[in-house]
Amino acid sequence: MLKQVNLRQDMVRKGTHGRKVVRRMSPKYITIHSTQNYSAGAAKHSLALKNGALRSPKTRYGNRIGYLIWHFTVDDREAIQHMPTNEQGEHADFHGPGNTQSIGIEMCEQRGSNRSVTIERTAKLTAVLMKQKGIPLKNVVPHYHWPRRGKTPPNKNCPHFLLDNGRPGKKWRWFQGRVNYYYKQLR
């Protein structure tokens, strides 16, 4: 199944940008995001992470390192890994378990891409990670799951195209069903 994901590594170099501070992690969750960037696919997101273009202000309740970073970016052609899955990212809820205990997967939605293919590729990657890391389906969550202290609203409408009126519902359950379908094929 990993071959169908078309996974390649393009790691942010240790000691730079989003990996300038390496914080170990034993993942208990997988957090699904959407980029809400309509002009860039996975390769451009990878380049932006490696070049330190995705800055985020360091604040008391915010980003701990001044950069955004997540583990995987997926589009309709490929999935790219940016950092090891045993390191914490900066993609969900600042100082909380969304960052400290969760693998982050961003789904691209650039113009002209096939969203359905991106979603299926993401579901397959998620199933493989669940199997590798022993993460149960109930711990596959949308970014919405992690409230962001100091933000209004605290729960982000992300991934927006898999939420119903900004909250997990029928669309999210459908996505979890796709992940579970692929997970069962791995047993």
Side-chain angles (χ1 to χ4, degrees):
M1 186 169 305
L2 202 50
K3 189 171 184 163
Q4 295 172 21
V5 170
N6 194 23
L7 178 64
R8 72 177 172 96
Q9 290 187 341
D10 191 19
M11 301 294 221
V12 172
R13 202 166 31 108
K14 191 174 181 180
T16 66
H17 312 302
R19 290 186 70 207
K20 68 181 178 180
V21 176
V22 173
R23 298 172 315 263
R24 295 282 167 218
M25 172 178 75
S26 294
K28 295 182 175 116
Y29 298 89
I30 299 171
T31 301
I32 307 298
H33 303 266
S34 61
T35 62
Q36 293 187 292
N37 178 345
Y38 303 102
S39 63
K44 284 189 178 179
H45 279 92
S46 186
L47 185 61
L49 288 170
K50 286 172 54 180
N51 291 338
L54 300 176
R55 296 189 65 92
S56 180
K58 287 171 70 172
T59 65
R60 180 175 174 198
Y61 300 118
N63 188 290
R64 298 171 289 174
I65 58 175
Y67 295 92
L68 297 176
I69 189 162
W70 53 87
H71 299 85
F72 300 91
T73 304
V74 180
D75 66 17
D76 59 350
R77 291 182 211 103
E78 64 183 339
I80 302 175
Q81 184 175 2
H82 312 292
M83 65 186 304
T85 56
N86 67 348
E87 289 182 19
Q88 296 176 28
E90 285 287 339
H91 57 88
D93 62 350
F94 311 132
H95 301 277
N99 284 338
T100 62
Q101 299 177 11
S102 177
I103 296 170
I105 301 175
E106 288 275 358
M107 289 186 287
C108 295
E109 48 190 311
Q110 75 275 20
R111 285 179 195 85
S113 69
N114 186 327
R115 183 180 287 170
S116 296
V117 172
T118 299
I119 290 169
E120 290 301 311
R121 189 178 309 282
T122 301
K124 290 174 183 177
L125 174 61
T126 302
V128 168
L129 291 169
M130 285 171 56
K131 180 79 170 171
Q132 288 176 348
K133 304 295 181 183
I135 297 173
L137 183 62
K138 69 182 177 118
N139 287 6
V140 174
V141 298
H143 184 180
Y144 175 91
H145 182 81
W146 307 112
R148 302 163 301 153
R149 189 172 177 187
K151 292 283 190 177
T152 305
N155 298 78
K156 189 173 182 182
N157 181 11
C158 178
H160 66 99
F161 53 80
L162 290 179
L163 299 180
D164 294 300
N165 299 313
R167 302 178 146 233
K170 185 177 179 182
K171 291 177 191 173
W172 182 253
R173 287 189 299 275
W174 171 84
F175 175 74
Q176 284 185 311
R178 298 305 298 153
V179 171
N180 197 41
Y181 169 78
Y182 292 121
Y183 180 77
K184 286 179 179 178
Q185 291 181 16
L186 295 171
R187 292 183 181 180

